[in-house]
Amino acid sequence: MVSEHSDAAGDTAALALKILVAGGFGVGKTTLVGAVSEIRPLRTEELLSQAGQLVDDTDGVDQKVTTTVAMDFGRITIRSGLSLYLFGTPGQDRFWFLWDELSQGALGAVVLADTRRLEDCFPAVDYFEHRRIPFVVAVNCFAGARAYGAHDVSRALDLDRGTPVVLCDARDRDSGKEVLIRLVEYAGRMHTARLLDSVG
């Protein structure tokens, strides 16, 4: 989603871009959206139920008591005239039918990863690669988790060459903002290259 509107002074067009925040269950998507949003974020979290224990793998996230059932939404102004609308996707596969709707018009996506459960972000990586939606992998550095470098994570996920991998703390606004800036820069390069290919 790319939309333009006049700013308060009414003399320059402001750009709003749609960004998805995806990844496995319990990786920190809601936390990231909440940390960077300049508005009170919309959350659709529900308590984990006993029935959900049969389908939700909580290994490694034993303290998690809620789950996103539709989406998270937030907004951040990157600089004057450029805002990002953030849509956090639900992590469990039973909610993946929502991803097609949420991804309509997205400039790109952040795939959050937890190195303790790296395989949980494979579906998101596959989803965006197959749909040619530019994305960055943001490794959420949890306390007590073994540290891996960006190159190691890129190899483990078998990412396409050039796909950025960044380390972050989803709780920290500045860290999250840096991830989003990297995504916007990368997606801009990808979209420009595709445009040039189409007219070349």
Side-chain angles (χ1 to χ4, degrees):
M1 174 182 75
V2 178
S3 65
E4 292 187 13
H5 58 276
S6 295
D7 66 8
D11 55 1
T12 58
L15 191 62
L17 304 172
K18 181 180 183 181
I19 302 294
L20 298 186
V21 180
F25 177 62
V27 77
K29 300 179 296 293
T30 298
T31 301
L32 177 67
V33 172
V36 301
S37 182
E38 62 200 17
I39 61 172
R40 184 178 176 191
L42 167 70
R43 293 188 170 133
T44 58
E45 290 199 304
E46 294 292 335
L47 289 172
L48 290 173
S49 66
Q50 203 161 11
Q53 288 177 346
L54 301 173
V55 289
D56 294 332
D57 178 11
T58 57
D59 275 355
V61 287
D62 305 335
Q63 306 302 314
K64 187 167 176 61
V65 295
T66 60
T67 185
T68 299
V69 295
M71 68 173 183
D72 299 311
F73 174 78
R75 185 190 74 213
I76 179 173
T77 301
I78 296 295
R79 59 171 170 74
S80 178
L82 176 60
S83 296
L84 305 182
Y85 292 131
L86 308 175
F87 292 80
T89 65
Q92 301 97 307
D93 55 4
R94 69 180 187 273
F95 296 123
W96 285 348
F97 67 92
L98 293 168
W99 286 33
D100 287 338
E101 292 296 323
L102 290 174
S103 66
Q104 290 291 320
L107 174 79
V110 173
V111 175
L112 269 178
D114 177 353
T115 56
R116 301 168 301 179
R117 298 159 47 113
L118 198 57
E119 67 280 359
D120 289 359
C121 71
F122 282 145
V125 167
D126 289 344
Y127 182 90
F128 297 121
E129 282 183 346
H130 286 120
R131 286 159 183 80
R132 301 185 73 219
I133 297 173
F135 68 95
V136 300
V137 173
V139 179
N140 193 6
C141 299
F142 287 92
R146 184 174 166 194
Y148 292 91
H151 181 68
D152 294 328
V153 172
S154 181
R155 276 192 11 219
L157 292 175
D158 193 27
L159 296 176
D160 289 342
R161 189 168 172 226
T163 302
V165 176
V166 294
L167 307 181
C168 74
D169 181 344
R171 302 165 300 178
D172 182 77
R173 177 179 168 81
D174 289 338
S175 181
K177 188 173 179 179
E178 281 302 312
V179 169
L180 295 171
I181 289 170
R182 283 288 299 276
L183 171 63
V184 170
E185 291 172 347
Y186 175 65
R189 290 194 304 271
M190 293 293 290
H191 287 294
T192 299
R194 288 173 188 169
L195 186 62
L196 291 173
D197 283 346
S198 71
V199 296

